[in-house]
Amino acid sequence: MLERRDIHNSDIPVLCRSCEARHRGVCGALSAEQLVALSKASSRRKVEAGSELIANAEAVDHYSNILSGAVKLTKTLADGRQQIVGLQFAPDFLGRPFHDASAVNAEAATVTSLCSFPRSALARMMNESPDLQRRLFEQALRELDEAREWMLTLGRKNAGEKVASFLLLIARNIDPGDETGNGELAFDLPLTRADIADFLGLTIETVSRELTKLRSSGIISIEHNRHIVVGNMARLVARSGS
């Protein structure tokens, strides 16, 4: 990872200098001194797809910044039925401050890199830094806005618009696997067709059919079943109904 250089880097811990959570995430509210203190209590790790990160109703003892990859949030009913209720990407903050237990299951949808730190360390810094509290509050509001937007997608858009909206969500958030000089954007789908169907409230057959329509229209190409190349983002936006 290339180090970002700016006038504030001299006192910043080396591991934090290139971190998107510092530039665009909650750690951007911390001073150099606070970053040094937090880095001493932090640990970085890479987890494989399918790894459980947080269990529903599990006691919260640490939080994480997502550095790369995608995380799937789910809720489970008493009879075992499960619903995907959200996706998180870098540099999102994973966890919910001010709560003793998690209200969702969090699972790595892809190979995911995390920077984790104790709950107690963050609680201490929230007391010291109103800017950090503001950043966390802003993320909560952003997630609320995104949830409302997704309610509109699920409640009012047709199947084709839903699948296009999902691809647009991934294209705008997940780490690009390839960018060409022709304005194309390439990425691997972080979810299986079954998970996409669950997330969109569709059948697997409908998801596959709508992906085929997008490919036939020349809006996307599909390689090895999960590698997507978006040839024209404007056409994908138009197809999503946004």
Side-chain angles (χ1 to χ4, degrees):
M1 184 180 292
L2 295 176
E3 177 183 319
R4 287 194 180 189
R5 295 188 179 277
D6 56 49
I7 61 174
H8 306 291
N9 266 1
S10 58
D11 297 324
I12 300 296
V14 173
L15 287 178
C16 299
R17 294 179 187 178
S18 303
C19 180
E20 289 303 311
R22 182 175 78 86
H23 292 278
R24 297 189 294 122
V26 297
C27 287
L30 300 178
S31 67
E33 182 180 353
Q34 289 171 321
L35 282 170
V36 169
L38 187 61
S39 68
K40 291 178 179 178
S42 301
S43 61
R44 289 197 176 192
R45 59 193 173 113
K46 181 174 289 188
V47 296
E48 297 299 318
S51 300
E52 184 178 73
L53 306 176
I54 304 174
N56 184 41
E58 179 181 50
V60 176
D61 60 6
H62 69 278
Y63 301 114
S64 301
N65 286 318
I66 301 173
L67 305 181
S68 66
V71 173
K72 177 175 65 174
L73 306 179
T74 62
K75 294 281 287 184
T76 304
L77 297 177
D79 61 5
R81 286 177 293 166
Q82 188 179 83
Q83 174 67 45
I84 299 174
V85 296
L87 293 172
Q88 288 189 301
F89 308 90
D92 286 343
F93 179 82
L94 181 61
R96 183 57 53 88
F98 314 115
H99 284 67
D100 294 329
S102 173
V104 296
N105 300 289
E107 176 184 313
T110 66
V111 174
T112 302
S113 294
L114 302 168
C115 179
S116 302
F117 35 84
R119 175 184 177 181
S120 57
L122 187 75
R124 182 174 62 255
M125 290 185 178
M126 282 194 293
N127 291 330
E128 298 172 352
S129 174
D131 286 343
L132 177 57
Q133 295 182 37
R134 179 184 176 87
R135 286 279 182 120
L136 291 167
F137 181 60
E138 287 174 344
Q139 173 163 319
L141 290 178
R142 186 173 66 252
E143 290 178 355
L144 177 60
D145 289 341
E146 291 170 353
R148 287 170 172 168
E149 187 68 27
W150 202 248
M151 287 174 64
L152 175 64
T153 295
L154 297 180
R156 285 291 176 260
K157 292 186 179 182
N158 61 38
E161 290 170 334
K162 287 181 179 180
V163 172
S165 294
F166 171 76
L167 293 179
L168 194 60
L169 171 70
I170 304 306
R172 286 173 169 170
N173 289 282
I174 203 166
D175 314 308
D178 181 39
E179 292 187 52
T180 72
N182 299 319
E184 296 180 341
L185 180 65
F187 54 86
D188 289 331
L189 290 174
L191 301 181
T192 64
R193 298 288 173 94
D195 277 345
I196 296 171
D198 176 32
F199 192 37
L200 299 177
L202 302 172
T203 65
I204 298 175
E205 293 75 17
T206 299
V207 169
S208 296
R209 183 168 59 249
E210 295 302 332
L211 286 172
T212 298
K213 288 180 181 179
L214 289 170
R215 181 175 58 186
S216 299
S217 299
I219 297 175
I220 66 170
S221 62
I222 305 175
E223 303 171 4
H224 309 298
N225 201 40
R226 293 184 70 164
H227 188 70
I228 303 294
V229 179
V230 181
N232 188 307
M233 283 290 287
R235 291 185 66 194
L236 183 61
V237 171
R239 184 62 68 93
S240 74
S242 300

